[in-house]
Amino acid sequence: MEKTFLMVKPDGVRRGLIGEVIGRLERKGLKIEAMKMMVIEENLAKEHYEAHNDKPFFGELIEFIISGPVVAMIVSGREAVSVARKMMGATDPSQAEPGSIRGDFATLMSENIIHGSDSKESAEREIKLFFG
């Protein structure tokens, strides 16, 4: 079984979409291995998004992710990384297919409900960052 890291972002938490997201994952056959609600500290946010630190939107990204509680999860299943990515939909909600989490619920690229690891390597890194 493959593991991945997923996070319901502050906008998803504020909008009461935690249960919807978890329900979709579980109905797909993915298993929640660990889960916690937390407010991300700035240092962790910068480490988490370090790949974007030279991009013009980095400050806005950090500001948003620390703006409220998130729900961090370790999710497992067959090809969990690619299955979860498909379920999430495109990063830009205007490009996300209906039926995907972002396609159904997100309206802004900067506030798109959910984060998910984009590879097995980033899943390992992010799981370690958030769960030790």
Side-chain angles (χ1 to χ4, degrees):
M1 286 295 178
E2 187 173 279
K3 290 184 180 181
T4 191
F5 175 79
L6 296 177
M7 175 174 38
V8 180
K9 295 179 178 180
D11 58 322
V13 173
R14 274 193 298 275
R15 291 178 53 200
L17 295 172
I18 299 165
E20 177 70 32
V21 170
I22 290 169
R24 286 180 179 219
L25 297 170
E26 290 181 330
R27 286 191 299 276
K28 184 67 175 178
L30 297 171
K31 182 178 178 189
I32 309 299
E33 297 281 343
M35 178 172 57
K36 64 181 172 181
M37 181 177 271
M38 62 187 291
V39 175
I40 300 175
E41 294 184 15
E42 189 172 347
N43 288 340
L44 175 58
K46 287 178 177 177
E47 193 171 356
H48 176 64
Y49 285 121
E50 71 183 358
H52 302 295
N53 68 1
D54 60 344
K55 306 224 168 73
F57 58 83
F58 182 71
E60 187 179 310
L61 184 63
I62 298 304
E63 203 171 297
F64 168 65
I65 207 67
I66 66 173
S67 70
V70 301
V71 175
M73 297 176 275
I74 300 172
V75 177
S76 67
R78 190 166 189 267
E79 298 184 42
V81 172
S82 61
V83 168
R85 297 288 297 177
K86 180 80 172 168
M87 291 179 71
M88 288 169 38
T91 303
D92 181 346
S94 69
Q95 303 298 312
E97 293 186 29
S100 69
I101 293 166
R102 291 173 175 152
D104 289 351
F105 301 110
T107 56
L108 301 170
M109 194 157 134
S110 60
E111 296 186 17
N112 59 13
I113 310 295
I114 190 167
H115 164 84
S117 301
D118 62 3
S119 67
K120 290 179 191 178
E121 295 75 27
S122 66
E124 287 177 20
R125 179 183 164 278
E126 292 172 334
I127 288 170
K128 190 172 185 175
L129 272 176
F130 285 86
F131 289 92

